Amino acid sequence: MNRQDGAEKEVLAGLVERVTYHNAENGFCVLRIKARGHRDLITVIGHSATISAGEWITVTGNWNNDRTHGLQFRAAFLKASAPTSAEGIEMYLGSGMIRGIGPVYAKKLVKAFSDKVFDVIENEPDRLRDVAGIGPVRADRITVAWAEQKVVREIMVFLHSHGVGTARAVRIYKTYGNDAIQIMSENPYRLARDIRGIGFKTADQIAIKLGIEKDAMIRIRAGISYALSEAMGEGHCGLPTDELVPLAVELLEVDNSLVQVALDMELTEGSVIADHVNDTPCVFLSGLHKAERVIGERLLILMNGKLPWPWIDPDKALPWIEQKTGLSLAESQVAAIRLALKSKVLVLTGGPGVGKTTIVNGILKTLAAKDVKILLCAPTGRAAKRMTEATGFEAKTIHRLLEVNPKGGGFKRNEENPLECELLVIDETSMVDVMLMQAVLKAIPDNSALLVVGDIDQLASVGPGQVLADIISSGAVPVVRLTEVFRQAAQSQIITNAHKINKGAIPNLSNPKGESDFYFVQADDPETAVPRIIELVKNRIPQRFGLDPIRDIQVLCPMNRGGVGARSLNIELQAALNPAGEYKIERFGWTFAAGDKVMQIANDYDKEVYNGDIGYIDSLDLDGGELSVSFDGRDVIYGVGELDTLVPAYAATIHKSQGSEYPAVVIPVMTQHYTMLQRNLLYTGVTRGKRLVVLVGQKKAIAIAVQNISGRRRWSKLNEWLGALPLALTM
């Protein structure tokens, strides 16, 4: 017995038979152990950064008779070590800790190598192939997973010892590799900058434990960068100095003068840049400041160049287009095509049903007949696919077009290795942020023409900047703004109501007499709205319109938070549409099971999946600790530790839906969403529906959204870089 703080402590040692529960965030665990001197299994409650069945643990603590769970041992101290017995090793290897080894292969390995298994994996990996069923691929996977797991465990122990959750350990390993501990020790603030899901406060907690003082310059400089990064997350390229300094003071809880000193140091080093937006002094992250300047420079260079095709007589081309397409072109479309055939750079903007696709098709057909080399791209896979279907020309995602370089970062296509084209068409340009637009424009050869297509009234990009809006408002680039809705499109209530919303009018919310593609369902509070949404998605829409509730219907929310936010609705819809049985993986606060609809929420160049991509879980391998997700027919494998970039996608925010179209969308619009009720948000949501749009909520909330055009200003400078030549046209 030990005596500590006046309480008697007992020491137990034994083999972990089962990990009943383990929270990777805080290390809390419930274990069943076979302890020395005890006949029956014992329940141990404690904290451990990482724990697996088969490990040998030593615990110090007290017995406690819990009213619900019975007799338990509460560990104040818990130390785990690698198992040494054949039984323990088999249990450990079979627990799923090492990808590629489940219970079956654990038994085979222990039978082949007994208690020397760990030595064989680490020092003689070639011998693994002596085991039946283990070929070169699986042997390599086991060896790599073993090495990775060792480092991940070290990272977990480091985080845990500094009072920080361990769930992001795999992400930290993926980012920093074997140098992770050294990097975190030298500058823990890098975690807030580099690792998704780790904020400044978490990094600060580690820093304090490492002895970094509150007024240390490394801390204050990191705080300034973090404040600017947070602003970037809200779409800004920079912030007014008068906003940035108080933000940093509040975050860091230090004197204003120290922040000013740190800011001067950041400016001297060049990681941030001081500039003006109009007359307002601002501070920009240097990468974003440069990106906007490059976009401006490249557009002006492209515009001033010579057309890559010989002069085309529009009076001959236009009748030929009408003959080829079988369409009679309206005056606005004729004027747009005339301008496009003689413009090196052109912006084509307008809402649904105004004939953008017809114009693009006319331009493409004309230029293709002249053997002009044409490339088409869009920011998302869905938008690229839609573009291909609409034009008959192959369209790629921007990332695929530019050929992502996963090893070196960035893209293989750039100013040194430009795209081979004479015309580049970018669709859904409202979604393109400044970093991506910079990459595109660097890769366009000087002699190429550029056609920029998008809807200026939709939400701006999720990433920083407002590229399309800035290009249009600068007046430096010819713009065709289409406003006329064509008769066929006007028959759709989706399109009619979208344009009403865009003009500041309330959409038609009355019950339609016959069949319609637009409906409003009253719900006065979240308690009413949630079951109605579930009933619509699960039963009413599939029965009436013959749509698949998971693949064809998308719930789009103004925001993530709240009872009718995307997070909460995802849990409810998942339970209703694809309830998980025993065969599931729970990670990062979500449950994943076969059949689930999921969304990637960060670019992953290695896997070639990007922010906003939607896929479906094909299968889970609990033994191997991974799952397979199908994205447009392509299978992508995720390890359990990589699931922080994957979320259920039964419901998503309207922001995340940009560039996508769905057969049916259901949009909750409640006064609880007040902070996000804006005209462009509702307009964007409504225009995502192809066959059906259902608004669920309150008429008052819809009225608030329609009337609110205040959307927070984005701080960007592209407009100024481009200058202001009055070249805009309205049609």
Side-chain angles (χ1 to χ4, degrees):
M1 300 265 181
N2 290 342
R3 191 170 285 278
Q4 189 180 321
D5 300 325
E8 289 187 350
K9 302 277 184 190
E10 189 174 330
V11 179
L12 290 180
L15 196 70
V16 179
E17 284 276 332
R18 187 170 76 248
V19 179
T20 305
Y21 176 78
H22 184 237
N23 184 328
E25 272 301 323
N26 58 22
F28 177 75
C29 55
V30 181
L31 312 172
R32 296 283 282 167
I33 75 163
K34 189 192 286 180
R36 265 194 314 231
H38 293 262
R39 193 175 65 185
D40 298 327
L41 292 179
I42 289 165
T43 300
V44 172
I45 294 168
H47 287 81
S48 178
T50 172
I51 193 77
S52 255
E55 289 187 289
W56 183 265
I57 63 166
T58 307
V59 291
T60 307
N62 299 103
W63 291 97
N64 177 57
N65 198 6
D66 186 273
R67 195 177 290 174
T68 308
H69 302 291
L71 194 63
Q72 299 173 330
F73 190 86
R74 291 189 174 273
F77 171 80
L78 189 157
K79 185 184 177 189
S81 51
T84 52
S85 69
E87 178 195 11
I89 290 169
E90 185 180 324
M91 213 181 289
Y92 175 76
L93 288 174
S95 68
M97 286 291 281
I98 313 298
R99 283 174 73 180
I101 307 178
V104 173
Y105 283 102
K107 191 179 280 297
K108 286 183 177 181
L109 285 163
V110 171
K111 191 176 177 183
F113 307 118
S114 188
D115 58 358
K116 302 288 189 290
V117 173
F118 296 156
D119 289 335
V120 169
I121 297 173
E122 198 156 329
N123 303 315
E124 301 174 273
D126 290 346
R127 290 180 63 193
L128 292 172
R129 293 167 64 180
D130 297 342
V131 177
I134 296 183
V137 174
R138 188 176 288 272
D140 283 348
R141 275 183 71 191
I142 291 170
T143 310
V144 168
W146 176 259
E148 180 178 313
Q149 187 60 32
K150 277 186 73 177
V151 182
V152 169
R153 284 175 75 91
E154 286 171 13
I155 294 169
M156 288 175 111
V157 170
F158 174 89
L159 293 172
H160 198 252
S161 66
H162 291 88
V164 174
T166 59
R168 308 284 168 187
V170 171
R171 185 65 48 203
I172 293 169
Y173 172 77
K174 294 273 182 200
T175 307
Y176 301 139
N178 294 336
D179 299 327
I181 303 287
Q182 186 184 338
I183 289 167
M184 288 191 291
S185 301
E186 287 173 358
N187 184 1
Y189 295 105
R190 283 188 60 177
L191 288 167
R193 190 183 70 203
D194 300 337
I195 309 297
R196 176 181 187 81
I198 294 184
F200 182 83
K201 286 195 164 66
T202 302
D204 208 27
Q205 195 175 329
I206 296 173
I208 290 162
K209 287 272 186 90
L210 288 168
I212 293 172
E213 298 290 334
K214 199 172 181 178
D215 58 359
M217 276 298 135
I218 188 173
R219 178 175 183 266
I220 300 172
R221 291 175 70 175
I224 290 169
S225 290
Y226 181 72
L228 280 171
S229 299
E230 288 290 282
M232 185 175 89
E234 291 175 12
H236 304 294
C237 294
L239 275 184
T241 312
D242 290 349
E243 277 186 40
L244 175 62
V245 173
L247 262 177
V249 167
E250 188 183 346
L251 176 73
L252 299 160
E253 296 175 338
V254 295
D255 194 70
N256 186 301
S257 60
L258 285 171
V259 172
Q260 289 288 356
V261 170
L263 181 56
D264 288 342
M265 290 170 79
E266 288 285 284
L267 288 165
T268 304
E269 199 175 272
S271 51
V272 301
I273 289 177
D275 203 343
H276 285 75
V277 174
N278 297 321
D279 297 323
T280 306
C282 291
V283 178
F284 291 80
L285 285 167
S286 59
L288 293 175
H289 187 265
K290 183 187 172 187
E292 287 204 296
R293 195 179 73 240
V294 168
I295 292 169
E297 287 171 356
R298 291 293 303 145
L299 281 171
L300 293 171
I301 287 168
L302 286 171
M303 280 177 59
N304 290 324
K306 187 180 160 207
L307 266 180
W309 52 80
W311 182 75
I312 296 168
D313 185 348
D315 293 332
K316 290 179 180 173
L318 288 158
W320 181 85
I321 292 168
E322 290 185 322
Q323 186 203 331
K324 284 287 179 186
T325 59
L327 296 170
S328 179
L329 295 171
E331 276 184 40
S332 59
Q333 294 173 320
V334 166
I337 294 171
R338 279 180 180 274
L339 186 60
L341 294 177
K342 64 180 185 183
S343 297
K344 191 84 165 11
V345 178
L346 181 69
V347 175
L348 180 63
T349 187
V354 295
K356 291 197 299 292
T357 303
T358 303
I359 293 167
V360 171
N361 273 333
I363 296 163
L364 293 179
K365 280 189 166 50
T366 306
L367 295 178
K370 300 289 183 183
D371 293 325
V372 174
K373 289 181 190 167
I374 300 168
L375 290 175
L376 281 69
C377 65
T380 66
R382 282 174 174 252
K385 191 177 176 186
R386 208 168 68 241
M387 202 180 183
T388 301
E389 289 164 357
T391 63
F393 291 79
E394 185 194 7
K396 296 180 179 178
T397 63
I398 295 174
H399 288 91
R400 196 152 285 158
L401 181 80
L402 298 181
E403 299 172 25
V404 168
N405 183 3
K407 301 231 172 2
F411 300 99
K412 293 176 186 173
R413 294 288 183 173
N414 49 37
E415 57 269 60
E416 287 155 19
N417 180 29
L419 295 164
E420 292 163 21
C421 65
E422 291 167 307
L423 171 68
L424 177 69
V425 184
I426 311 174
D427 198 14
E428 295 284 0
T429 313
S430 61
M431 295 180 63
V432 181
D433 64 30
V434 293
M435 297 308 289
L436 196 54
M437 193 64 168
Q438 173 191 226
V440 172
L441 292 179
K442 276 184 170 182
I444 299 179
D446 290 355
N447 65 336
S448 177
L450 174 66
L451 177 59
V452 174
V453 185
D455 185 348
I456 182 61
D457 296 311
Q458 280 188 35
L459 288 166
S461 57
V462 174
Q466 42 192 7
V467 173
L468 183 62
D470 277 350
I471 291 173
I472 291 172
S473 65
S474 75
V477 176
V479 177
V480 174
R481 190 190 281 266
L482 299 161
T483 54
E484 183 190 347
V485 179
F486 290 100
R487 194 180 306 152
Q488 192 178 350
Q491 291 169 359
S492 160
Q493 285 300 300
I494 295 174
I495 289 174
T496 304
N497 283 319
H499 284 278
K500 276 187 176 179
I501 292 165
N502 203 24
K503 288 172 183 168
I506 304 288
N508 183 2
L509 303 177
S510 59
N511 282 330
K513 292 192 171 59
E515 280 292 313
S516 179
D517 57 4
F518 188 96
Y519 294 86
F520 169 69
V521 175
Q522 182 82 28
D524 291 329
D525 50 57
E527 290 72 27
T528 312
V530 171
R532 283 187 182 167
I533 290 167
I534 291 166
E535 175 62 17
L536 281 163
V537 175
K538 189 178 179 180
N539 298 315
R540 285 178 63 184
I541 294 172
Q543 286 164 11
R544 186 161 176 185
F545 295 91
L547 296 172
D548 183 281
I550 295 177
R551 291 183 177 258
D552 295 334
I553 305 169
Q554 185 62 54
V555 175
L556 295 178
C557 305
M559 60 201 295
N560 262 313
R561 295 189 305 278
V564 277
R567 281 197 195 109
S568 179
L569 279 171
N570 256 319
I571 295 166
E572 299 280 356
L573 287 161
Q574 188 179 38
L577 301 176
N578 191 43
E582 289 297 306
Y583 211 70
K584 62 188 177 188
I585 290 173
E586 291 176 315
R587 202 76 169 147
F588 301 103
W590 295 112
T591 299
F592 300 94
D596 274 334
K597 175 160 67 172
V598 291
M599 179 185 282
Q600 177 76 13
I601 55 170
N603 290 337
D604 188 323
Y605 298 119
D606 289 327
K607 296 187 193 300
E608 291 186 35
V609 283
Y610 304 105
N611 194 352
D613 284 358
I614 285 181
Y616 301 88
I617 298 177
D618 279 338
S619 60
L620 276 70
D621 179 0
L622 298 185
D623 285 350
E626 58 189 31
L627 53 81
S628 174
V629 182
S630 174
F631 291 97
D632 287 328
R634 188 173 68 88
D635 289 338
V636 178
I637 304 295
Y638 289 80
V640 171
E642 299 172 313
L643 294 178
D644 57 337
T645 61
L646 220 54
V647 298
Y650 299 94
T653 62
I654 294 171
H655 277 90
K656 285 287 189 188
S657 73
Q658 286 172 270
S660 297
E661 267 189 353
Y662 311 92
V665 298
V666 176
I667 307 173
V669 191
M670 315 285 295
T671 51
Q672 282 79 2
H673 299 138
Y674 187 80
T675 54
M676 295 300 290
L677 291 178
Q678 291 162 10
R679 185 185 297 174
N680 62 351
L681 190 92
L682 184 58
Y683 171 75
T684 302
V686 168
T687 55
R688 299 308 88 201
K690 209 158 52 177
R691 287 174 54 190
L692 179 68
V693 171
V694 183
L695 302 184
V696 179
Q698 304 143 313
K699 290 179 180 178
K700 183 184 174 183
I702 293 167
I704 292 169
V706 167
Q707 288 156 22
N708 183 10
I709 54 168
S710 64
R712 195 178 168 199
R713 170 182 184 174
R714 289 194 170 190
W715 290 97
S716 64
K717 197 174 166 71
L718 178 57
N719 185 319
E720 288 182 49
W721 290 120
L722 280 164
L725 302 173
L727 291 173
L729 293 170
T730 299
M731 295 181 179

